[in-house]
Amino acid sequence: MRIINDLSSKDYNSFGIDVPIPCLIEIQDKADYNYLDIKGPFRILGGGSNILISGTLEEKIIYVNNKGIEILIDHEDHCLVEFAAGELWHDAVMWALDKGLGGIENLSLIPGKCGAAPMQNIGAYGVEIKDVLHSVKSFDLQNKLELTFHNSECGFGYRSSHFKTKWRDSYIITSIILKLSKNGYHTINTEYGAIQAQLEAMNCSDNPSIRDVSDAVIAIRSSKLPDPREIGNAGSFFKNPVIPQSHFETLKDRYPDIVSYPADGGIKLAAGWLIDQCGLKGYTENSGAAVHDRQALVLVRQGNAKGDDILLLAQKVKNSVFEKFGIKLEEEVNIWA
Ligand code: EPU
């Protein structure tokens, strides 16, 4: 465990917001949790790639940075692999590819750490982590116990889980265990149109390998999503909304090109498309808060924009989408207010 007092938040969040952190407690080993004695309010921080800090940070920050990757079980067709919560997610994907293990190649280049991956059930290009997650090990802060939750207990939904909702701040994820397929047993998922097109452009659409799929995803993401090292952002700022069939039919009559997918309990719409239709793609406020010019679902921080400036822009976006389509967008990013 390492305790650092009075530092800047700048390098700890992908928006690059710069406010003072009074006290950061870095977890370097999961045994550190046994000695953690937190009094007063705290926040749990992983890679900082899905948060927006608005206002000041008065709370202690528990910074999850324990490392380690271990093959727990090696079966003929799959391995169970434990990734420590502090490992970077993309490094985990690359490690799996190097070992010829499949299942997470569609999730290449997603920022953040392994511990945060199940919290919001990260997903991209037709795959969600719940599809390969075996279990989650966590630390119960109040009772000082290590607990393991099986996949079926985690309450996974679209960009959600119990860790993000009712268990928030009660359990800290210490590691995740994934069931990854071995060579000869891979199930390649290229149902997402953009992947097919990219594989064709790369001349490997016939029988692509897990490495090909990863390369295709990396190419698509790099072309559309801003690199947080160059411009502050937290990926998709809003969730794709799910609306009732009846509302969808009214919209479809008026906007025949509306982008939609069938979903549990209704129709899922592409929030990026909705924002784009409001004419907001590339829209920039004087503060430097902006809607990304290649993917309207991403808000970016230019210049010295503050967290509150991004929040103000987010509210404008929500108002515009509500006025035009009667849909209330919800944030995907966690707001630290
Ligand atoms: N679209 C527009 N204009 C835009 C953006 C999108 O018309 O400015 C249209 C696209 O043409 C496409 C549709 O909207 O027809 C969907 O766009 P895209 O394929 O880019 O996916 P998304 O629904 O916007 C989601 C995830 C992304 C993930 C991609 C790929 C959410 C909130 N976002 O975005 O995840 O990479 O699918 O699977 O579900 C993230 O969570 O940070 C993230 C980037």
Side-chain angles (χ1 to χ4, degrees):
M1 182 162 7
R2 189 164 71 124
I3 298 179
I4 314 172
N5 293 313
D6 302 320
L7 71 164
S8 158
S9 66
K10 196 168 175 18
D11 296 333
Y12 291 89
N13 71 104
S14 61
F15 265 114
I17 306 271
D18 185 0
V19 296
I21 299 180
C23 176
L24 180 132
I25 303 164
E26 179 179 351
I27 301 295
Q28 296 169 307
D29 187 296
K30 71 176 180 181
D32 290 348
Y33 289 116
N34 294 310
Y35 308 102
L36 196 62
D37 190 19
I38 297 274
K39 294 188 179 64
F42 64 89
R43 288 187 184 274
I44 302 165
L45 175 70
S49 57
N50 207 39
I51 58 167
L52 175 67
I53 304 169
S54 90
T56 55
L57 282 180
E58 311 294 341
E59 307 85 350
K60 288 186 172 156
I61 304 291
I62 302 175
Y63 176 51
V64 179
N65 204 24
N66 56 315
K67 305 279 186 195
I69 303 179
E70 192 186 346
I71 296 179
L72 302 180
I73 295 177
D74 190 345
H75 278 294
E76 187 196 333
D77 59 339
H78 73 269
C79 285
L80 286 188
V81 186
E82 180 169 10
F83 298 91
E87 290 285 348
L88 286 176
W89 172 260
H90 182 67
D91 290 353
V93 176
M94 292 298 114
W95 180 93
L97 285 178
D98 285 345
K99 296 268 185 273
L101 293 171
I104 49 179
E105 55 282 356
N106 294 48
L107 305 178
S108 298
L109 215 61
I110 294 187
K113 290 185 172 174
C114 288
M119 270 200 74
Q120 56 180 53
N121 185 20
I122 57 167
Y125 308 105
V127 173
E128 291 179 325
I129 194 172
K130 75 163 171 46
D131 303 333
V132 291
L133 187 109
H134 174 273
S135 50
V136 175
K137 285 191 185 169
S138 68
F139 193 80
D140 173 344
L141 283 171
Q142 206 181 357
N143 300 306
K144 297 216 175 278
L145 278 177
E146 189 174 72
L147 294 176
T148 299
F149 295 100
H150 188 263
N151 182 320
S152 59
E153 297 171 285
C154 298
F156 287 124
Y158 166 60
R159 288 299 197 277
S160 183
S161 75
H162 291 335
F163 294 103
K164 186 168 177 176
T165 52
K166 64 179 183 181
W167 293 343
R168 178 185 283 272
D169 294 342
S170 303
Y171 303 121
I172 299 189
I173 295 175
T174 56
S175 66
I176 60 173
I177 296 170
L178 304 185
K179 181 178 173 185
L180 300 175
S181 60
K182 286 171 76 168
N183 235 332
Y185 296 92
H186 296 324
T187 315
I188 302 285
N189 183 333
T190 57
E191 71 186 34
Y192 203 91
I195 294 199
Q196 261 312 330
Q198 184 61 37
L199 287 169
E200 274 162 31
M202 289 161 40
N203 286 325
C204 50
S205 53
D206 292 339
N207 206 10
S209 66
I210 51 174
R211 178 77 65 180
D212 294 334
V213 173
S214 169
D215 288 346
V217 168
I218 289 173
I220 302 168
R221 288 189 78 95
S222 315
S223 71
K224 282 206 299 196
L225 297 168
D227 182 342
R229 286 168 303 186
E230 285 160 21
I231 181 157
N233 75 91
S236 302
F237 197 88
F238 301 102
K239 292 188 198 179
N240 286 331
V242 176
I243 61 167
Q245 178 79 31
S246 52
H247 186 176
F248 173 68
E249 275 157 22
T250 325
L251 290 175
K252 179 89 183 157
D253 283 345
R254 210 168 337 148
Y255 307 99
D257 297 338
I258 192 162
V259 181
S260 65
Y261 319 89
D264 279 351
I267 304 288
K268 188 185 277 186
L269 302 180
W273 186 89
L274 299 171
I275 300 167
D276 202 349
Q277 292 298 305
C278 293
L280 288 170
K281 199 183 215 166
Y283 171 77
T284 308
E285 299 255 282
N286 288 337
S287 63
V291 178
H292 186 50
D293 56 5
R294 272 174 286 149
Q295 163 54 293
L297 193 49
V298 178
L299 302 188
V300 296
R301 173 180 170 270
Q302 299 168 344
N304 289 323
K306 305 255 181 309
D308 287 346
D309 298 323
I310 307 279
L311 269 190
L312 222 59
L313 172 65
Q315 194 53 53
K316 263 195 189 169
V317 169
K318 285 164 86 169
N319 292 347
S320 299
V321 169
F322 186 71
E323 273 162 31
K324 194 170 170 77
F325 299 103
I327 293 170
K328 286 187 175 160
L329 290 183
E330 281 175 27
E331 283 82 5
E332 200 241 318
V333 166
N334 297 286
I335 311 293
W336 283 16

